[in-house]
Amino acid sequence: MSAPATALGALLTRRPAVGGVSTLVWQILLGVVWAGYAVGAALGWGSQQLAFIMGDFGLSTAALIAAVSCFRYARAGASRFRPAWLLFALSSFMASAGNAVWGWYEVVLGLPVPTPSLADVFFLCFAPPAIVGLLVLAKRPVTRAGWVCLALDSWLIGGSLLTLSWSLALAHTAHLAEGTSVARAALALAYPLLDIVLVSMVLALHFRRSNVNRSAVNTAVAALALTVLSDALFTSPLLRQTYHSGQMLDAGWFAGSLLLAYAPWGANKAADNAFPPRSTQPTSRPIAGSLAALTPYLAAAVCTLGILYNAVEGRRVDRVVILTGCTVVLALVVRQGIMLVDNIALTQELAQKENHFRSLVQGSSDVIMIVAPNGVLRYVSPAAAGVYGREADELVGAELSSIIHPDDLGRVVHEVRRFLAAPPYEEPTTRIECRFRSGTGDWLNVESTANRHQGGLILNSRDVTERVRLQAQLQHSAEHDPLTDLPNRALFTKRVRQALGGRRSGDSGTAVLFIDLDGFKAVNDRLGHQAGDELLIQAARRLHESVRAGDTAARLGGDEFATIILGDGTRDQPARECQVHEIADRLRLTLSQPYRIGAGEVRVAASIGVAFAEPGITPSDLMRNADLAMYRAKAGGKGRVELYAPQMQADVVRRSELAARLRTALRDGEFALLHQPVVHLATGQVAAVAAQARWRSAQGILFTPAEFLRVAEDGERTAELGRWLLEEAVEQAADRARAGHPVSVAVRLSARRLLDKGTPFGSVEALLTRHGLPSGALMIEVADSDPRISFDDLEQRLVALRRSGVRIALDGFGSGYAAINALRRLPIDVLKLDRGLVEGVVESARLHKITSGLLRIACDLGVQSVADGVDVPEQVLALRAMGCTHGQGMAFSGPLDEYRLRRALARGEFPVPGSTMAQPVLTGSSIPLLSGSHAETPVPPT
């Protein structure tokens, strides 16, 4: 048998320790004080005078201490037993006063105590308060029959003691008192009769006392019992004739007073330490219960002994004995009749409750099991057949460990031990979840509520297999992507945290890979979302099959995936980086293979960023580094693997700061508008100006559009900048025209910006009307169109602009896949050669031929051409020889502010290399730019 199974069969409970150090000290102190008094009384105190003082005033002092102690406890407490302790205080005070009067006669006056005296009055008043206090302490009956039984029990005890006492001594005392006064006769019988009543109450309370403050009540009862015993010895004729103060009998009264003084404080504190007030564990008292049941018979036996004593001594049976004995027998018969009726009623009620609870247990859908302290099942409810598929009789007698899953057994044993060791009032129940073997051999998930039961357990169990499966399913759904079933971002972050912690915390070979599918958006737009989902599923399958068993592949969202590659503990970091780079490149190639979607194939590339763990790095920082590396790979040409470098984070911080400042630049007026002249390549005359925005930062740095638009990721901010550029360019062009410089202005706008639904359809036309700009004075350079932009909508918009007097230029001609389609469908007036063609037109023969061919296309279509980026004289000569009529670039002038622009316009021309060359090939170039219709305008203002 396994160790957990053996441990489950040896369940142990712990019991709290009783008492405390301070309680023990008080008990020892009281014992020493009483022992000193008893020794002094036994030795006679050394003198008659000291014996009288200790026997009278010593007892008075002890009783006064008991009275004060009980009174203070009654004033401090708020329980329902407060009147009892007040009555005990009054009773002790009467005893103190009686002893004080006794000492006044013997010690102060030096006279014998008269009979009767005031001391007798006080002593007789001792018993009634104590009797009433005991009645208050007794457990109150809840029925009339209970009250009757209490009265009968008290009379049974008192009557039997009276019978025995009368036969032994009281009859003789009454006979001796016949010749004396009535007061002496009554006094002679009052002491023993009150003692009998007090003893009766003490015995009755012993069997009917309350469970509250049990130790304090027991100590108080013991104190009164000791006092009554001393009184009984004092009232006996033999001792009373020879008694004087200071004898050994006084030690009994002294001990009774000390115990009563100690009872409410020390004994109650010990009880609180021993038995927590909220404990629900039952206390078994079989001996006390047996004695309580035998009380009537013991009383009858005592009464019989009193009558037998008279018969043995040959005396005539006294009428008091006969009367008392008859009443005792009658009380016994009545009590037995009441108990018989109660027992019949209780038996019927018990049978009814047993049937009721048996029906509840047998009809319950939960399985109820009783486990013995040795781990054996004593009882199993019939519900086991429906829940476990095993009959209850089959399980009874088996060990609980035999039906628990071995993997769960150790945890169950630990929980049971912890539960049984805990105080019951702190943890009355506990919950245990484990797997039970069913009748078919399967394992069921079972939830059990455990309660203590006679050293063992009561288990209330139910089958929660479906709930556990649902929880597992919900947990899986919460941590996995619903489309690909790969771990999602939350679970991936958790795995990264686990990889960075524990024994792998110092392993710098752990790497995180961020993967983005290049071209996925185009597939999604072209083939639809269903095809895109199928592509993601296939990519996830490839990724999952390509990683190692201990690594994790996850989908973070959209077309972004991630992988964590656990370190192998190697110290050679360069070799590890090379190894991980090879793994990433292999993943890139795997994900870049064609995907079979429907009847065709689809290709996408994969950009991968790799970041390695560093000492002290957090999961979020490591994932951020991999993300930065992935974006660097996409920016570097896509379909690449890029390792993270700290400079990437610095670039991100710089761009973030730049973007944050850009958001307020327009509002604070930090943008400036510059214009670059468009020059006729043959004459050097300024034919138009191209508007360009510049951002002047707080440090005085001018940023070009390529610099600040790269960080302007906010589409709304970009649109706001485009509106400002157009309005500012039109306004300044109108001002120049009114100042005598009627030169066209070119503004670059994207096709998406022109079709933006947030922009009113006639906003450009309204702008021209508001500023009074003449027809043909505004040129809009349309950037290469986005493939998602509808050519139909763009064509409709450009036609409308052209009708309102706006000229259209195709920007970046010679780059982009849509150039030919744009020439075919859009109303173009000017072709603006891409800067990339112009830069290599002199050095590269291939580019020279391409550029020459594009210019011939423009000539054949009858549209003007402008070369962008003409920076050196050799480019001017080459382009002019090919037939290009206009150019802009540093060969003539850079972007100018308004003041310098007007000076250049006033001058009218720039020096042109080889100005003696022939006129350009393109026809119509001599027609003024601002005259005639659009078709007649030879030079586009770009």
Side-chain angles (χ1 to χ4, degrees):
M1 184 179 295
S2 63
T6 304
L8 189 62
L11 302 174
L12 299 177
T13 59
R14 296 181 181 177
R15 299 185 182 275
V18 179
V21 177
S22 59
T23 302
L24 181 62
V25 171
W26 278 107
Q27 292 174 351
I28 294 175
L29 181 61
L30 290 176
V32 169
V33 172
W34 178 82
Y37 190 94
V39 170
L43 299 178
W45 296 105
S47 66
Q48 185 70 24
Q49 185 68 18
L50 182 58
F52 284 165
I53 294 175
M54 295 303 296
D56 296 334
F57 292 112
L59 292 181
S60 178
T61 302
L64 183 61
I65 292 174
V68 173
S69 175
C70 294
F71 180 76
R72 290 193 59 187
Y73 180 75
R75 290 290 302 272
S79 66
R80 65 183 182 89
F81 299 123
R82 178 180 177 182
W85 294 104
L86 288 175
L87 290 170
F88 290 155
L90 178 60
S91 177
S92 298
F93 179 76
M94 291 299 156
S96 175
N99 283 294
V101 172
W102 197 287
W104 175 263
Y105 280 104
E106 287 189 335
V107 177
V108 178
L109 299 180
L111 300 175
V113 181
T115 302
S117 66
L118 185 60
D120 293 322
V121 176
F122 285 122
F123 285 145
L124 290 175
C125 291
F126 165 80
I131 293 172
V132 179
L134 291 175
L135 287 174
V136 174
L137 287 179
K139 184 185 298 183
R140 298 177 181 178
V142 295
T143 61
R144 290 183 179 180
W147 283 105
V148 173
C149 288
L150 177 61
L152 292 176
D153 288 343
S154 301
W155 173 244
L156 285 172
I157 297 172
S160 60
L161 291 177
L162 177 60
T163 303
L164 184 61
S165 301
W166 191 271
S167 300
L168 294 177
L170 293 183
H172 179 67
T173 302
H175 178 72
L176 293 177
E178 287 181 357
T180 61
S181 63
V182 176
R184 286 180 176 272
L187 184 62
L189 294 177
Y191 278 110
L193 292 178
L194 287 175
D195 287 340
I196 288 174
V197 175
L198 190 57
V199 169
S200 302
M201 294 308 304
V202 168
L203 292 177
L205 177 62
H206 177 71
F207 299 119
R208 291 180 175 271
R209 63 184 182 275
S210 175
N211 290 328
V212 182
N213 296 341
R214 180 184 297 274
S215 182
V217 173
N218 287 341
T219 307
V221 170
L224 294 176
L226 188 58
T227 303
V228 171
L229 178 61
S230 300
D231 286 347
L233 294 175
F234 173 74
T235 56
S236 63
L238 296 177
L239 288 179
R240 183 154 190 178
Q241 291 177 0
T242 61
Y243 171 80
H244 63 82
S245 298
Q247 288 185 344
M248 192 62 188
L249 183 60
D250 293 347
W253 285 311
F254 188 80
S257 297
L258 291 182
L259 280 179
L260 191 58
Y262 168 77
W265 302 102
N268 186 53
K269 184 176 182 180
D272 292 339
N273 292 333
F275 303 99
R278 291 186 296 169
S279 176
T280 57
Q281 187 170 359
T283 303
S284 178
R285 299 173 58 230
I287 298 178
S290 300
L291 290 177
L294 292 176
T295 300
Y297 306 101
L298 292 176
V302 170
C303 183
T304 304
L305 286 177
I307 298 175
L308 290 177
Y309 177 79
N310 286 331
V312 170
E313 292 293 326
R315 301 176 182 176
R316 182 176 60 86
V317 179
D318 194 278
R319 287 177 296 178
V320 175
V321 174
I322 295 175
L323 180 62
T324 306
C326 290
T327 54
V328 168
V329 172
L330 181 60
L332 178 61
V333 173
V334 174
R335 188 184 187 282
Q336 290 302 106
I338 295 175
M339 293 302 297
L340 179 60
V341 174
D342 283 346
N343 287 338
I344 294 174
L346 289 175
T347 302
Q348 294 176 349
E349 183 179 358
L350 180 61
Q352 183 180 1
K353 289 183 177 180
E354 182 179 358
N355 292 332
H356 174 70
F357 285 107
R358 185 181 299 275
S359 300
L360 290 177
V361 170
Q362 292 180 352
S364 174
S365 59
D366 294 347
V367 180
I368 300 175
M369 299 183 293
I370 299 178
V371 186
N374 59 359
V376 176
L377 295 173
R378 288 180 177 174
Y379 172 79
V380 179
S381 66
V387 176
Y388 302 149
R390 304 176 67 176
E391 295 296 332
D393 296 339
E394 177 186 349
L395 294 174
V396 173
E399 291 192 359
L400 179 61
S401 59
S402 64
I403 63 174
I404 298 178
H405 196 284
D407 295 341
D408 299 340
L409 188 56
R411 177 172 51 84
V412 172
V413 170
H414 179 269
E415 175 62 20
V416 169
R417 283 179 173 174
R418 185 203 62 77
F419 171 64
L420 293 179
Y425 62 90
E426 291 184 0
E427 190 174 7
T429 63
T430 188
R431 189 170 61 89
I432 301 174
E433 287 193 15
C434 60
R435 286 168 288 179
F436 279 6
R437 186 189 299 276
S438 68
T440 59
D442 298 329
W443 293 102
L444 303 176
N445 294 95
V446 175
E447 179 187 70
S448 302
T449 302
N451 294 270
R452 298 172 180 84
H453 176 70
Q454 297 180 358
L457 297 172
I458 293 181
L459 299 177
N460 191 353
S461 307
R462 63 200 63 87
D463 182 10
V464 293
T465 304
E466 290 301 323
R467 189 193 71 185
V468 172
R469 290 177 181 172
L470 179 59
Q471 288 177 344
Q473 182 179 355
L474 293 176
Q475 182 72 16
H476 181 85
S477 299
E479 295 181 341
H480 288 77
D481 176 57
L483 179 63
T484 63
D485 202 41
L486 289 180
N488 58 14
R489 183 181 293 271
L491 181 56
F492 184 76
T493 305
K494 180 180 178 181
R495 297 280 175 84
V496 173
R497 184 178 295 107
Q498 292 173 352
L500 297 180
R503 61 185 181 87
R504 296 183 181 272
S505 58
D507 191 354
S508 59
T510 298
V512 170
L513 279 62
F514 265 44
I515 306 167
D516 186 84
L517 299 181
D518 303 321
F520 170 76
K521 190 171 184 59
V523 174
N524 218 17
D525 293 338
R526 188 171 72 255
L527 301 180
H529 291 283
Q530 185 173 358
D533 291 345
E534 179 62 27
L535 190 151
L536 291 176
I537 293 173
Q538 294 184 26
R541 187 182 304 115
R542 293 183 186 182
L543 186 62
H544 179 71
E545 294 173 352
S546 300
V547 299
R548 300 176 302 179
D551 299 336
T552 300
R555 183 192 178 203
L556 304 184
D559 59 338
E560 290 189 359
F561 296 86
T563 300
I564 179 172
I565 301 177
L566 301 179
D568 54 4
T570 181
R571 298 293 181 180
D572 191 355
Q573 189 63 19
R576 178 61 178 169
E577 290 182 1
C578 183
Q579 180 185 5
V580 173
H581 193 283
E582 291 178 357
I583 295 174
D585 198 57
R586 188 165 59 249
L587 289 177
R588 181 186 63 82
L589 293 175
T590 300
L591 294 174
S592 300
Q593 295 297 318
Y595 294 86
R596 190 72 179 178
I597 306 296
E601 288 187 350
V602 174
R603 287 181 177 270
V604 294
S607 297
I608 302 179
V610 182
F612 285 91
E614 300 173 359
I617 193 170
T618 62
S620 58
D621 290 342
L622 180 58
M623 295 171 64
R624 179 206 61 196
N625 294 345
D627 196 21
L628 291 176
M630 185 265 290
Y631 277 105
R632 178 61 63 89
K634 292 178 71 67
K638 302 180 180 180
R640 302 173 62 249
V641 175
E642 190 77 32
L643 295 180
Y644 170 78
Q647 183 60 33
M648 296 179 185
Q649 178 62 22
D651 292 343
V652 170
V653 173
R654 183 184 66 83
R655 291 179 58 188
S656 299
E657 294 175 352
L658 192 62
R661 294 201 302 269
L662 180 61
R663 294 187 183 98
T664 60
L666 275 175
R667 183 189 61 198
D668 297 340
E670 296 181 7
F671 276 92
L673 187 64
L674 302 181
H675 295 83
Q676 189 172 22
V678 178
V679 179
H680 198 290
L681 295 182
T683 63
Q685 293 180 351
V686 178
V689 292
Q692 299 177 4
R694 292 292 186 272
W695 175 31
R696 187 181 301 276
S697 68
Q699 291 77 21
I701 302 174
L702 282 176
F703 293 100
T704 64
E707 292 176 307
F708 61 73
L709 289 179
R710 189 165 51 245
V711 300
E713 300 175 354
D714 187 356
E716 180 181 353
R717 199 68 54 195
T718 305
E720 184 179 356
L721 179 60
R723 287 192 295 269
W724 175 87
L725 176 62
L726 180 62
E727 292 180 3
E728 195 72 14
V730 171
E731 181 180 359
Q732 291 189 15
D735 291 342
R736 285 192 296 271
R738 287 190 290 270
H741 303 288
V743 62
S744 299
V745 63
V747 180
R748 188 178 186 274
L749 295 176
S750 66
R752 178 178 293 275
R753 172 76 182 89
L754 286 172
L755 298 178
D756 188 3
K757 296 181 179 179
T759 303
F761 186 80
S763 59
V764 177
E765 295 84 343
L767 182 64
L768 296 175
T769 303
R770 184 167 70 249
H771 292 285
L773 197 66
S775 176
L778 175 64
M779 173 73 73
I780 291 182
E781 300 175 353
V782 181
D784 196 5
S785 60
D786 191 309
R788 292 169 293 181
I789 296 297
S790 172
F791 262 96
D792 295 335
D793 296 339
L794 182 59
E795 180 182 9
Q796 180 182 359
R797 179 61 177 146
L798 293 180
V799 169
L801 288 173
R802 207 161 181 267
R803 288 173 181 170
S804 62
V806 178
R807 302 182 66 81
I808 308 299
L810 182 61
D811 187 35
F813 186 67
S815 66
Y817 76 95
I820 302 301
N821 195 27
L823 283 178
R824 183 175 62 87
R825 300 187 55 181
L826 301 181
I828 301 299
D829 296 307
V830 176
L831 292 178
K832 191 169 184 179
L833 293 180
D834 184 73
R835 177 181 290 271
L837 295 176
V838 177
E839 288 177 351
V841 71
V842 177
E843 295 83 1
S844 173
R846 180 183 294 272
L847 283 180
H848 188 281
K849 292 181 180 180
I850 294 174
T851 305
S852 177
L854 293 176
L855 289 172
R856 281 196 299 272
I857 292 175
C859 180
D860 293 341
L861 293 177
V863 295
Q864 300 296 314
S865 59
V866 177
D868 187 15
V870 182
D871 296 333
V872 295
E874 292 78 7
Q875 294 172 348
V876 176
L877 296 175
L879 290 169
R880 186 171 57 192
M882 295 178 193
C884 184
T885 59
H886 296 82
Q888 80 180 69
M890 299 303 295
F892 307 106
S893 173
L896 304 175
D897 57 21
E898 188 65 21
Y899 173 74
R900 294 181 180 179
L901 176 62
R902 294 199 180 191
R903 288 182 57 186
L905 293 177
R907 189 170 61 248
E909 62 182 22
F910 288 91
V912 178
S915 57
T916 58
M917 294 181 61
Q919 291 295 321
V921 176
L922 295 180
T923 61
S925 60
S926 60
I927 301 176
L929 184 63
L930 296 181
S931 62
S933 65
H934 291 288
E936 298 171 348
T937 304
V939 180
T942 53

